């Protein structure tokens, strides 16, 4: 499943490193501030230090974004605790739930399921291209029966966003 793109690399989320740095910085900032306040108050004990470390680790786990990668025929979401992969060339279902914090749900013929933030696809045209190519193969094979309207809408949103960005960069708007 670790197919590689020409050049030896899978397509990945370009914004992940910045988001991960923010999560690590936030967790370290929380830990540092709680240690400093506890130290200044004279109440820092080994048990309280352990509590602050555990709370900082929990904050890191909550804020650390999932890492999304894709290659020919597959899409993977690497969370802090597990990795989920679907075959995009044999999808059976694509759905979207939620309005404010929407999630895209993909399910393949092998029963694998993953969720991802559609914003990742908006920010990463290569990921969208890999998913779109796999979806087209699923449609050709007849496995994808539910969710084509979700992908069509998402594709139009991504194309509109990219077109606006190109027009703004060229000074035409």
């Amino acid at each position: 499943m670790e197919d590689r793109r020409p050049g030896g690399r899978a397509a990945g989320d370009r914004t992940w490193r910045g988001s991960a740095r923010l999560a690590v910085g936030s967790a370290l900032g929380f830990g540092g501030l709680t240690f400093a306040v506890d130290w200044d108050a004279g109440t820092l004990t080994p048990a309280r230090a352990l509590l602050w470390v555990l709370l900082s680790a929990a904050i890191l786990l909550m804020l650390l974004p999932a890492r999304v990668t894709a290659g020919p025929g597959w899409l993977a979401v690497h969370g802090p605790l597990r990795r989920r992969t679907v075959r995009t060339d044999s999808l059976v279902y694509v759905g979207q739930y939620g309005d404010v914090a929407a999630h895209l749900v993909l399910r393949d013929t092998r029963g694998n399921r993953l969720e991802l933030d559609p914003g990742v696809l908006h920010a990463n045209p290569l990921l969208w291209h890999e998913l779109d190519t796999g979806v087209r193969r699923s449609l050709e094979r007849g496995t994808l029966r539910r969710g084509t309207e979700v992908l069509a809408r998402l594709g139009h949103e991504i194309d509109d966003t990219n077109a606006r960005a190109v027009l703004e960069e060229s000074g035409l708007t």
Side-chain angles (χ1 to χ4, degrees):
M1 186 130 359
E2 288 296 323
D3 296 339
R4 298 291 179 177
R5 297 179 56 77
R9 297 192 49 148
D13 183 359
R14 299 180 303 180
T15 62
W16 184 83
R17 285 184 188 217
S19 299
R21 273 194 297 271
L22 179 62
V24 169
S26 298
L28 288 174
F30 173 80
L33 285 174
T34 54
F35 268 89
V37 168
D38 225 1
W39 179 273
D40 187 51
T43 56
L44 186 62
T45 64
R48 289 175 67 97
L50 179 62
L51 172 69
W52 299 136
V53 168
L54 291 175
L55 285 175
S56 295
I59 288 172
L60 177 62
L61 282 176
M62 287 188 303
L63 295 179
L64 192 64
R67 187 173 204 160
V68 180
T69 55
W74 60 272
L75 182 79
V77 175
H78 312 263
L81 302 176
R82 68 176 134 178
R83 173 186 169 161
R84 296 193 178 258
T85 304
V86 294
R87 294 293 307 181
T88 57
D89 54 2
S90 61
L91 291 173
V92 294
Y93 172 78
V94 176
Q96 185 172 353
Y97 70 89
D99 293 328
V100 176
H103 286 276
L104 198 61
V105 179
L106 306 171
R107 193 170 298 137
D108 67 14
T109 56
R110 298 177 183 169
N112 299 321
R113 177 183 183 274
L114 68 74
E115 295 181 21
L116 75 140
D117 178 7
V120 172
L121 299 173
H122 279 273
N124 297 282
L126 289 177
L127 288 176
W128 169 247
H129 172 71
E130 291 292 355
L131 176 60
D132 188 48
T133 302
V135 165
R136 290 175 195 273
R137 287 192 187 115
S138 293
L139 288 170
E140 289 170 3
R141 294 176 180 170
T143 60
L144 183 59
R145 299 180 193 275
R146 292 181 44 205
T148 55
E149 67 284 345
V150 171
L151 289 169
R153 185 175 61 245
L154 184 61
H156 289 300
E157 290 173 9
I158 290 172
D159 290 344
D160 290 348
T161 302
N162 289 336
R164 266 190 236 104
V166 167
L167 290 173
E168 286 176 8
E169 280 297 315
S170 63
L172 296 174
T173 58

